[in-house]
Every structure is written in C-alpha cells, then in structure tokens.
Amino acid sequence: MSPESTGQNEHYIRVLRRRFRAWRGNRPFWAGLFTMAGGVPIAYFPYATMSLGNMTLAMSTTAGAGSLIIGVLLITLGLTMWYHSIVRVFAGVAAILLALISIPVANIGGFVVGFLLALVGGALSISWAPGDPKGAEEAPVAEHADEEPSEDEVYAAAVPQQQGAGSGPAADADADAGRHRAG
C-alpha cells in the first residue's frame, strides 16, 4: 500500500458523514429543517385526538383544511430550501408569511411551537448566503514557511494581467475588418 491511497481504507460511515457534511454546507440546511419541523405541528394538531382514560380529546376545528394546507406548504418550502437553494429568499419570505397566517388559522400556529419553528426557519433562509468557493488561484505560497513573498510577487498575484486594446488575435482580426469589436 502506498501512502497516497488512504481513501480505500476509510470506513463507509465516515465517507457518508463527510458527503453529508459537504451536501449540508452548500445549502441552508438548518433553515429547511426548522421550516419543515414548524409545518408538522401546524398540520398535525387540528387532526389530533388524545385519549385520557375514557375521555377523548379532539383538537379538530373548522380550520382543519387551512391548517393542513399551511403545514404541507411549510414542509414543501423546507424541501425547496434544501434542493433549490437559489430560491432561498422567496422560500424564507413565504415561510415567514405562512407562519404568521398560521396564528389565526391553525390553533395559534400549532400551539406556538410550529409558528416559532417556521419563523426561525424562514429567517435563517433569508439570512443564509453561499460561501465563497476556494479558488485554484490564490496568492503565491513561499517556498519555505519562514520566507515572506517579495513585494513584486504579492503585487503580481493581486493584479490580473490585462491586455491592451490593440493586442491579441481578436484585436488583429477587428483591425483588418475595420470595425469595432462589438459591431
């Protein structure tokens, strides 16, 4: 075995955990989770029945259909945050609005639990921003750790090389045609 082939001996759980962490890091994971967790009590409580001995307690109200729609929409918005993170701001605003609507419609927003979870999930979705990808082009690294790069190397790495207006193959072809690049 060579020291370069360490990935073959890794345990599959460690590999799955690393893949999940990479997947989770590229999207508003916690926002989607809180939004979906907020949708469950909002949709569940209007249809819940609880038995206390011989007594049955039913929380069903006339707004059961509205509660179910709000809960299912919140769960759908949570999944949208996970799998289509480009629309995270829309999904966050919609989750906040549905959480506010659930207060009068769905048993005080699923007894405040669903309301608070959906509100936090929507706020997290709005505030989430994708991280900057680590680019291949970074500042030049010194040969040795104790050696500082020269001022010219730092300046050359910070300023990209630019071509003048009259250089390059495209400019030569445009000069022969006698017209501007855009025209």
Side-chain angles (χ1 to χ4, degrees), residues 142-163:
E143 293 280 330
H144 302 286
D146 59 346
E147 186 178 306
E148 299 261 340
S150 69
E151 187 175 326
D152 293 334
E153 289 175 347
V154 172
Y155 180 74
V159 178
Q161 297 294 327
Q162 298 179 0
Q163 294 180 350

Side-chain angles (χ1 to χ4, degrees), residues 8-138:
Q8 295 175 350
N9 294 331
E10 281 190 289
H11 198 266
Y12 68 92
I13 293 176
R14 185 177 296 158
V15 172
L16 290 175
R17 183 172 175 252
R18 188 176 299 128
R19 284 184 189 168
F20 175 70
R21 289 182 72 187
W23 178 82
R24 186 186 72 193
N26 294 330
R27 61 200 78 245
F29 176 77
W30 294 107
L33 188 67
F34 277 119
T35 304
M36 287 188 286
V40 170
I42 290 174
Y44 174 74
F45 284 138
Y47 296 101
T49 57
M50 191 168 50
S51 298
L52 299 172
N54 292 334
M55 183 174 65
T56 301
L57 178 65
M59 293 302 302
S60 60
T61 61
T62 57
S67 299
L68 183 64
I69 290 171
I70 290 172
V72 168
L73 283 175
L74 283 171
I75 292 170
T76 304
L77 286 171
L79 290 171
T80 301
M81 290 173 197
W82 278 1
Y83 294 108
H84 298 288
S85 61
I86 194 76
V87 293
R88 69 186 182 280
V89 175
F90 166 75
V93 170
I96 289 172
L97 289 176
L98 284 172
L100 291 172
I101 291 171
S102 73
I103 292 174
V105 172
N107 291 337
I108 313 169
F111 297 119
V112 184
V113 174
F115 164 71
L116 289 176
L117 288 171
L119 203 64
V120 168
L124 285 174
S125 178
I126 291 172
S127 66
W128 184 83
D132 293 331
K134 294 181 180 177
E137 297 179 25
E138 293 183 5

